[in-house]
Amino acid sequence: MKTRYTYGGDEHIYVEMDDEMSLDAFFKSLSMSNAVREAKIEGVTEICPANASFQVRFDPDVIAPEAMMKKVQELEHKAEDAEQRLKTRIIEIPVYYQDPWTHETLMRFRERHQDPSGTDLDYAARINGFDSAEAFIEAHHAQPWFVSMVGFVAGLPFLYQLVERDKQLQVPKYLRPRTDTPKQTVGYGGCFSCVYSVRGAGGYQMFGVTPMPIFDPEQKQSYLRDFMVFFKPGDIVKWKPIDREEYDRILAEVEADTYVPRIAEVDFDLEAFNADMPGTNAKLMEALNVA
């Protein structure tokens, strides 16, 4: 991988570890962004990590852009020695696939879609070689996902499927973005799944909805009292398919502030994962069963 450095105006430096997402690139980006943070460079005001890159914001009245660039580049050796183990958590996220709300929305915007004749799931299944939407849904929730980035919209996670690259699901975004997406929609664009943290415009394919809030600026949910954003880079997600009855039950618990997400603390070892992906995934998901 060849690291690329670019300026973003007078106040930003953008560091790209690779031009495609991979767990190796993510870990190197995480290691280097942490090194920049730990260096406590005078003038740095914010460090924003992404899938395989990060951006540093700084005050040019405190440190010149050229000097800032040099200090960041001097830390690249930290990325070469990137730690490949991560203490993190695996989280079960309930998903009501083929729900009525995303279905109503996607039907309103069919003229913006690659295939106006079907649904988003029908299209995703067909282009990925599945015989049915149900078979695609099973592939979507069967293996865990890795949160590589949180952002773009406040609290929105980008999730990368923990399978071999040639088995990853891929679905393009809408030809033209929608002006509406239900809150907590589980979507898909490119190789990333996501959860829309708020209602609004969007271009990802819509597969279902979760009753579990992941962003709460008022911090009314007990599990969001410490911080309004639920997900963190490095989190691992296991989608759990649910029906309407379970959706309504969880939603009632959310409204009563009695809902507690299923979470287990785990160690993720990149070397072990690359050596045995099915075995590593099985151990990760088993941690939820004993939590």
Side-chain angles (χ1 to χ4, degrees), residues 88 90 144 162 236 264 266-268 273 279-289:
T88 185
I90 183 168
L162 291 175
I236 297 170
V266 294
D267 290 321
F268 182 82
F273 172 75
T280 301
N281 287 347
K283 289 179 182 178
L284 290 170
M285 292 185 290
E286 179 61 28
L288 274 175
N289 295 331

Side-chain angles (χ1 to χ4, degrees), residues 8 16 20 30 36-37 66 70 72-73 76-77 80 82 84 91 106-107 158 171 181 188 223 233 239 254 280-281 289:
E16 186 177 36
E20 63 179 27
L30 179 66
V36 173
R37 184 175 291 107
E66 295 81 6
K70 183 178 179 182
V72 171
Q73 289 175 326
E76 185 172 345
H77 70 279
E80 298 304 320
Q84 294 194 329
I91 307 149
L106 67 86
M107 294 307 293
F158 288 77
V171 189
T181 307
Y188 211 110
Y223 62 88
W239 307 115
V254 167
T280 301
N281 287 347
N289 295 331

Side-chain angles (χ1 to χ4, degrees), residues 114-128:
Q114 293 89 342
D115 183 6
S117 65
T119 67
D120 291 7
L121 273 166
D122 292 335
Y123 172 70
R126 177 170 57 80
I127 67 171
N128 281 276

Side-chain angles (χ1 to χ4, degrees), residues 4-287:
R4 294 192 295 184
Y5 298 85
T6 54
Y7 291 106
D10 294 331
E11 299 181 354
H12 298 87
I13 287 175
Y14 177 64
V15 183
E16 186 177 36
M17 311 310 294
D18 203 342
D19 59 2
E20 63 179 27
M21 171 59 194
S22 69
L23 288 177
D24 294 273
F26 168 83
F27 272 84
K28 288 190 175 183
S29 175
L30 179 66
S31 180
M32 188 171 175
S33 62
N34 285 340
V36 173
R37 184 175 291 107
E38 292 163 4
K40 299 187 183 302
I41 303 168
E42 188 176 4
V44 171
T45 59
E46 188 176 7
I47 300 169
C48 182
N51 297 311
S53 60
F54 66 95
Q55 185 166 267
V56 179
R57 185 180 182 185
F58 60 95
D59 184 346
D61 291 330
V62 175
I63 183 170
E66 295 81 6
M68 187 70 232
M69 176 71 83
K70 183 178 179 182
K71 286 186 176 291
V72 171
Q73 289 175 326
E74 288 173 349
L75 294 167
E76 185 172 345
H77 70 279
K78 299 281 188 178
E80 298 304 320
D81 300 323
E83 175 61 52
Q84 294 194 329
R85 290 179 62 88
L86 183 68
K87 285 190 175 297
T88 185
R89 56 186 183 167
I90 183 168
I91 307 149
E92 183 179 86
I93 304 295
V95 183
Y96 181 16
Y97 290 98
Q98 296 179 302
D99 67 284
W101 308 286
T102 59
H103 180 78
E104 185 278 329
T105 304
L106 67 86
M107 294 307 293
R108 274 193 283 131
F109 292 97
R110 288 330 281 167
E111 79 283 357
R112 304 185 183 210
H113 195 273
Q114 293 89 342
D115 183 6
S117 65
T119 67
D120 291 7
L121 273 166
D122 292 335
Y123 172 70
R126 177 170 57 80
I127 67 171
N128 281 276
F130 292 95
D131 294 333
S132 65
E134 288 73 20
F136 179 87
I137 289 170
E138 184 176 354
H140 186 260
H141 71 71
Q143 300 298 328
W145 295 69
F146 191 91
V147 177
S148 58
M149 171 182 165
V150 179
F152 184 71
V153 175
L156 184 150
F158 288 77
L159 300 113
Y160 179 83
Q161 196 176 27
L162 291 175
V163 295
E164 296 89 342
R165 185 172 290 270
D166 61 355
K167 293 182 180 179
Q168 287 179 349
L169 305 173
Q170 294 193 50
V171 189
K173 294 186 288 186
Y174 275 43
L175 296 175
R176 289 187 295 130
R178 302 176 302 275
T179 56
D180 190 24
T181 307
K183 180 182 178 181
Q184 291 160 211
T185 289
V186 175
Y188 211 110
C191 69
F192 291 103
S193 201
C194 80
V195 181
Y196 281 78
S197 51
V198 297
R199 181 179 181 180
Y204 276 26
Q205 310 284 337
M206 295 184 291
F207 297 162
V209 66
T210 177
M212 176 183 158
I214 61 166
F215 173 63
D216 181 11
E218 297 180 357
Q219 295 179 266
K220 292 181 178 179
Q221 292 295 313
S222 58
Y223 62 88
L224 291 171
R225 296 263 161 77
D226 291 337
F227 191 49
M228 67 181 71
V229 172
F230 180 72
F231 286 109
K232 298 176 287 189
D235 280 343
I236 297 170
V237 165
K238 174 63 175 71
W239 307 115
K240 179 193 176 185
I242 60 173
D243 58 16
R244 177 62 185 268
E245 183 179 359
E246 189 167 3
Y247 176 90
D248 289 341
R249 179 186 63 77
I250 293 174
L251 193 62
E253 292 182 7
V254 167
E255 291 172 351
D257 192 23
T258 59
Y259 180 70
V260 179
R262 290 191 67 198
I263 300 172
E265 301 298 318
V266 294
D267 290 321
F268 182 82
D269 186 316
L270 180 59
E271 185 176 356
F273 172 75
N274 286 333
D276 180 10
M277 294 184 187
T280 301
N281 287 347
K283 289 179 182 178
L284 290 170
M285 292 185 290
E286 179 61 28

